[in-house]
Structures are given as C-alpha cells and as structure tokens.
Amino acid sequence: TTKNVLGSLLSSAQSRTVTPKHVIEATSRYYDISTKDILGQSRKKELVKPRQIIMYIMREEINTSFPTIGQELGGRDHTTAMHACNKISKEVQENERLKQEIDSIKQFLYNNL
C-alpha cells in the first residue's frame, strides 16, 4: 500500500515539473508584462527587474545553468544571468517586499502547473 501511495505521489510530481517557460510565464503574468517584452532586448527598468527575478527563480528553484538561463531569456550572455542571480539574492535578504513578490510568483507557479 505504501509503495502505491508513494509511487502515485512521485509520478504526479514528476509530471508537473517546472520548466524555464513556466517561470517566464508565471513572472510575466504576475507583473502583467508580455513574454515578448520579457524576452526582448529592452533595458527599461520595468522589464529589467522582472527579467532578473526570472533568472533568480530559474537558478534557485530548478537549478538551471547560467548559459541555459541566458539562452531562455533571449540569447543573453551567461554573465548577465550570473549578475542577476547575485543581485536578486542580495536584495532578497535586505528587501522583505521583494522576497514576498518572489514567494508569490513561486506560489503562482506551483499552483498553476
């Protein structure tokens, strides 16, 4: 009985694996920005922060490599992803509002798989 219960839980968890596209979609919905804008080359402040948050979540939640993060976000360089992850990681420790935003995005992400 235990094997059946655990087996069904594991198979349902595996079928609901978070992908980089899920992270991009969840974050763009949260900030009400189109995925086209997120993936674009614009450096507007209202796009840069959500983009950096996407990079941070991709790295922290699904352990995506820096080169893959850059590629998923419009062909950016891996050093851009590294900078974004470091920056957001530091800001989360100092800024409770940002931490709550990221937690809300994660909750939205996992509830809508």
Side-chain angles (χ1 to χ4, degrees), residues 88-98:
I88 298 298
S89 181
K90 286 178 186 172
E91 276 188 49
V92 163
Q93 294 173 2
E94 300 168 3
N95 185 341
E96 185 61 33
R97 183 170 175 258
L98 178 62

Side-chain angles (χ1 to χ4, degrees), residues 8-110:
S8 66
L9 286 174
L10 289 174
S11 66
S12 68
Q14 289 171 344
S15 67
R16 296 186 311 167
T17 303
V18 177
T19 66
K21 286 188 181 11
H22 290 131
V23 176
I24 293 167
E25 289 171 7
T27 308
S28 62
R29 279 193 207 144
Y30 182 83
Y31 288 106
D32 196 26
I33 300 170
S34 75
T35 55
K36 181 181 176 187
D37 288 340
I38 290 276
L39 299 176
Q41 296 299 316
S42 175
R43 294 185 183 181
K44 290 182 182 177
K45 185 178 180 180
E46 57 270 9
L47 297 176
V48 170
K49 188 66 126 194
R51 200 178 285 142
Q52 289 176 335
I53 289 171
I54 289 170
M55 293 179 188
Y56 172 79
I57 292 172
M58 287 171 72
R59 183 68 178 179
E60 295 296 314
E61 289 297 306
I62 56 178
N63 203 25
T64 309
S65 70
F66 292 121
T68 303
I69 292 171
Q71 189 137 32
E72 289 289 336
L73 286 163
R76 287 172 168 72
D77 191 67
H78 73 281
T79 57
T80 302
M82 290 171 65
H83 170 74
C85 291
N86 290 335
K87 181 178 178 185
I88 298 298
S89 181
K90 286 178 186 172
E91 276 188 49
V92 163
Q93 294 173 2
E94 300 168 3
N95 185 341
E96 185 61 33
R97 183 170 175 258
L98 178 62
K99 183 180 181 332
Q100 289 173 353
E101 285 180 21
I102 291 172
D103 288 342
S104 295
I105 293 167
K106 287 179 189 177
Q107 188 175 20
F108 184 78
L109 176 66
Y110 289 113

